[in-house]
Amino acid sequence: MKTVAIINMKGGCGKTTTAVNMAHILGKHYGKRVLLVDNDKQGNASKAYAVHSYELPSVADILTGETNILEVIRKTEYAFIDVIPANMHLLTANLEIIMNQEIEQQTIFRNQFEKVGSMYDYCIIDCPPDINISVINALVAADEVIIPVKIDGYSLDGMEELEQQIENVKELNPKIKFRGCLVTMFYRTLWKDENGEYQQGVNEQGKEWLKMQKYPVFHTHIRRTPKKVDENTFTDVPLIEYSPGCGASKDYRQFVKEYLGVE
Ligand SMILES: Nc1ncnc2c1ncn2[C@@H]1O[C@H](COP(=O)(O)OP(=O)(O)OP(=O)(O)O)[C@@H](O)[C@H]1O
Ligand SMILES: [Mg+2]
């Protein structure tokens, strides 16, 4: 099982949309068996598969060691994807773990996910816009990290801290690899400068800036597709099912192709 953490300290940059649709495409189009882990108390990835609940066990119970991982995994209506859901209990679980100095706080997910490693080809972890103990656990469990980036004036804030966190976990997880930044909500604009020359707008410049920083950047970017993606938040299905032909869905399929290195 390959474990991929989708992470960025910045909120609203497309982490959940990326995690859900990447996971779904790996299963639907490439026949992979996928475990999607919702590691965000907002539970947005759980809602995309209609498995958000306060009655049933969630990722918080894995963190606190109260429940066997097999009891937390929820089946979905798609045979190729199962989900470990999250809800607000993750907040208290994080506090409980950080207060408990007697346990190995950072390796809980890795130890638990290993138990189901033979059941899945991919484990995709949707992280919150934060660094807390459950996020550190995700990094310790991860083989790869993907950072969705929405280009704006603040989008690159926190990148250095995140890079530092990835470096820090190498002591516990030397194999972790920063696979790349994925530019989301991309739009192309052209504007005329004072000489009447057309210049590229903020998104193209941002992509170039990322490359200059030596961050790996996926060639594919995800187009801003406001109507369909916003509508999709009211449905209990991934975007790729709700609107397979919209720009963002097409781009996510292209992104997974690039990620897998297939033609
Ligand atoms: N390609 C896109 N085009 C237009 N809107 C998008 C696109 N991708 C995501 N969005 C919208 O942007 C918002 C944030 O997306 P998403 O929830 O994936 O981000 P996030 O990084 O997971 O947020 P958070 O930090 O709160 O977890 C949502 O309202 C979503 O519908
Ligand atoms: Mg999210």
Side-chain angles (χ1 to χ4, degrees):
M1 180 173 79
K2 182 174 274 189
T3 301
V4 186
I6 312 294
I7 189 166
N8 191 334
M9 310 246 271
K10 177 93 172 51
C13 59
K15 295 179 292 296
T16 302
T17 311
T18 298
V20 166
N21 289 287
M22 179 184 182
H24 204 81
I25 291 165
L26 283 167
K28 186 175 172 126
H29 296 286
Y30 296 95
K32 307 292 185 194
R33 299 164 303 162
V34 184
L35 177 64
L36 175 65
V37 179
D38 192 345
N39 194 25
D40 185 350
K41 63 184 183 308
Q42 298 180 96
N44 294 346
S46 314
K47 288 172 190 163
Y49 283 96
V51 294
H52 185 265
S53 152
Y54 281 97
E55 274 76 56
L56 296 167
S58 68
V59 70
D61 301 290
I62 296 182
L63 204 57
T64 54
E66 273 158 35
T67 312
N68 182 318
I69 185 166
L70 289 170
E71 287 172 41
V72 183
I73 294 174
R74 299 267 83 79
K75 294 275 167 218
T76 69
E77 66 173 284
Y78 311 95
F80 50 80
I81 189 159
D82 294 343
V83 178
I84 293 182
N87 56 36
M88 287 289 166
H89 295 320
L90 188 52
L91 192 64
T92 39
N94 261 295
L95 290 172
E96 193 181 317
I97 296 306
I98 203 75
M99 305 287 281
N100 187 348
Q101 304 288 336
E102 281 161 26
I103 55 163
E104 255 193 60
Q105 296 164 324
Q106 302 181 342
T107 52
I108 303 168
F109 278 176
R110 180 163 73 189
N111 295 339
Q112 291 297 318
F113 296 170
E114 261 171 18
K115 294 182 186 167
V116 294
S118 62
M119 289 165 56
Y120 301 99
D121 301 307
Y122 281 90
C123 170
I124 309 290
I125 312 177
D126 180 34
C127 290
D130 201 356
I131 291 282
N132 53 33
I133 197 69
S134 70
V135 173
I136 301 290
N137 266 270
L139 288 175
V140 171
D143 299 290
E144 297 179 346
V145 175
I146 292 175
I147 304 184
V149 177
K150 177 186 174 208
I151 306 285
D152 62 23
Y154 314 113
S155 55
L156 303 164
D157 293 359
M159 284 289 282
E160 276 175 34
E161 288 79 359
L162 189 49
E163 239 190 324
Q164 191 54 52
Q165 291 295 339
I166 295 171
E167 279 309 306
N168 292 352
V169 300
K170 281 188 176 161
E171 207 174 298
L172 283 169
N173 180 15
K175 69 178 185 317
I176 192 169
K177 187 161 184 267
F178 179 8
R179 268 302 292 271
C181 297
L182 172 66
V183 173
T184 61
M185 301 181 228
F186 178 92
Y187 58 95
R188 204 183 296 274
T189 51
L190 286 176
W191 52 277
K192 250 185 197 173
D193 67 12
E194 61 274 21
N195 302 317
E197 305 273 339
Y198 280 102
Q199 302 290 344
Q200 285 179 338
V202 65
N203 264 276
E204 286 290 355
Q205 288 171 359
K207 251 181 125 171
E208 288 311 309
W209 190 91
L210 277 172
K211 283 182 193 155
M212 269 158 43
Q213 301 297 312
K214 308 258 183 315
Y215 294 126
V217 182
F218 286 101
H219 179 71
T220 310
H221 53 247
I222 311 300
R223 266 168 285 176
R224 194 164 165 266
T225 313
K227 187 167 174 293
K228 289 295 175 195
V229 182
D230 283 347
E231 280 172 15
N232 179 229
T233 58
F234 293 101
T235 68
D236 284 341
V237 293
L239 180 70
I240 203 83
E241 291 288 339
Y242 174 69
S243 180
C246 77
S249 288
K250 286 182 188 157
D251 295 341
Y252 274 116
R253 283 196 294 273
Q254 182 57 38
F255 157 65
V256 175
K257 210 179 209 186
E258 180 183 351
Y259 167 78
L260 291 172
V262 291
E263 276 314 306

